[in-house]
Amino acid sequence: MKTRFFTTLISTLALTGVYATSAQAFTFKTNYSTTDKTTWTHDISLDSVEIGNKTYDDFSLVKDVKVIQNDLWTGGNTGAASSDRGDNASGNAVEAATGSDLAASLENLNLSNIVDTEDSGNFTLNLLFGQSVNNFLFFERGMNSKLRVQALDKSGKLIGNSIKLDSSTWQAAGYSLNTTEIGGTQKVGSLGVSLSDLGLGKSITSISGLQLISKSSYVGPDFKVVGVSVPEPTTVLGLGLVGAALAMSRRKKAQ
């Protein structure tokens, strides 16, 4: 009877969605500061983010970028990933970017420093973060591109699932960008990715690396990414569900 009770309870929770262990990515609010909300060409500082009802400001930043493949820049709109910044912002703008150049665009909290990708460009980049985290926050200028993402373990081996992010479905981050690579202002979108979204089991609680891929059909993602550690709410939820199940079992047995 007890086995049947628990099976029925878990099935009911799964059907109602209460027992869900993860979401298909998540949205968050971006808190930033800037002196320029008109042309969006100056520095934009990432101050914090709000996920659920909590605020986080302790970010893990990219410290190294290993270029696995990056289309060669030969002038004009050729090549793939390059370093970019707001027209009047600090930071670097390098077309034929090295791994060090790309890391310089990502290793800070200046949202005006991004990696720009030409529309038909192909790249494969391995990003190593300064500290291990369990969530990654992506920002994409233009909200019109795709980006493939997969987790890396400590040895640099690919783990979990390769997922494709489509920034056309993201929420607006609340700010815009006008960088050296474009001639006008574009809105920026944002999306969060958890370890569950990357197909990693509960035995893996944090990672410090991601592989990012852009293909010629992805319309050139122009992005920034930072890491953050967020307590797993399903852990508390799961404990509560087990406790409730035990209590119900005991009451039923007493009756």
Side-chain angles (χ1 to χ4, degrees):
M1 289 295 292
K2 185 180 293 186
T3 300
R4 182 181 300 174
F5 168 76
F6 276 103
T7 301
T8 303
L9 175 63
I10 297 303
S11 297
T12 302
L13 291 171
L15 288 173
T16 58
V18 177
Y19 193 67
T21 58
S22 67
Q24 295 301 309
F26 61 89
T27 59
F28 60 91
K29 179 183 178 183
T30 303
N31 298 318
Y32 62 89
S33 56
T34 182
T35 59
D36 172 24
K37 291 187 178 182
T38 303
T39 64
W40 300 101
T41 61
H42 291 73
D43 292 339
I44 303 172
S45 175
L46 174 60
D47 298 328
S48 64
V49 297
E50 296 176 30
I51 303 173
N53 59 354
K54 292 188 177 182
T55 301
Y56 301 89
D57 59 8
D58 185 15
F59 301 107
S60 178
L61 304 178
V62 173
K63 72 173 186 179
D64 186 38
V65 175
K66 182 178 180 180
V67 178
I68 307 302
Q69 186 269 328
N70 194 24
D71 286 356
L72 181 67
W73 181 75
T74 57
N77 293 325
T78 62
S82 62
S83 291
D84 197 14
R85 59 170 172 78
D87 290 342
N88 299 307
S90 58
N92 61 343
V94 182
E95 287 283 12
T98 64
S100 297
D101 294 325
L102 299 174
S105 293
L106 300 175
E107 65 184 7
N108 56 64
L109 293 176
N110 189 348
L111 294 172
S112 191
N113 288 182
I114 63 172
V115 171
D116 178 277
T117 311
E118 298 303 332
D119 287 358
S120 59
N122 299 269
F123 69 66
T124 299
L125 307 174
N126 284 1
L127 275 56
L128 181 64
F129 291 76
Q131 61 190 60
S132 296
V133 292
N134 59 12
N135 288 267
F136 297 90
L137 311 177
F138 287 85
F139 305 87
E140 206 274 322
R141 187 200 68 202
M143 300 178 66
N144 62 348
S145 303
K146 298 178 178 64
L147 182 66
R148 187 163 290 280
V149 181
Q150 189 167 358
L152 297 169
D153 66 12
K154 292 182 179 180
S155 65
K157 180 182 177 182
L158 290 168
I159 54 176
N161 299 331
S162 175
I163 62 174
K164 185 164 65 175
L165 307 179
D166 187 341
S167 67
S168 66
T169 65
W170 297 6
Q171 72 170 4
Y175 69 96
S176 300
L177 280 178
N178 185 354
T179 65
T180 64
E181 291 278 345
I182 58 177
T185 301
Q186 294 181 341
K187 289 184 178 180
V188 175
S190 62
L191 185 75
V193 175
S194 69
L195 298 188
S196 295
D197 298 323
L198 292 169
L200 300 178
K202 292 184 178 180
S203 61
I204 300 178
T205 58
S206 63
I207 59 171
S208 57
L210 293 175
Q211 182 173 97
L212 306 184
I213 294 177
S214 178
K215 299 181 179 180
S216 58
S217 60
Y218 286 7
V219 201
D222 308 313
F223 67 92
K224 183 93 171 184
V225 58
V226 302
V228 65
S229 286
V230 178
E232 179 53 62
T234 55
T235 301
V236 178
L237 175 61
L239 291 175
L241 291 173
V242 171
L246 288 173
M248 292 174 64
S249 177
R250 287 170 184 152
R251 283 198 298 269
K252 185 172 182 180
K253 185 176 181 180
Q255 291 173 359

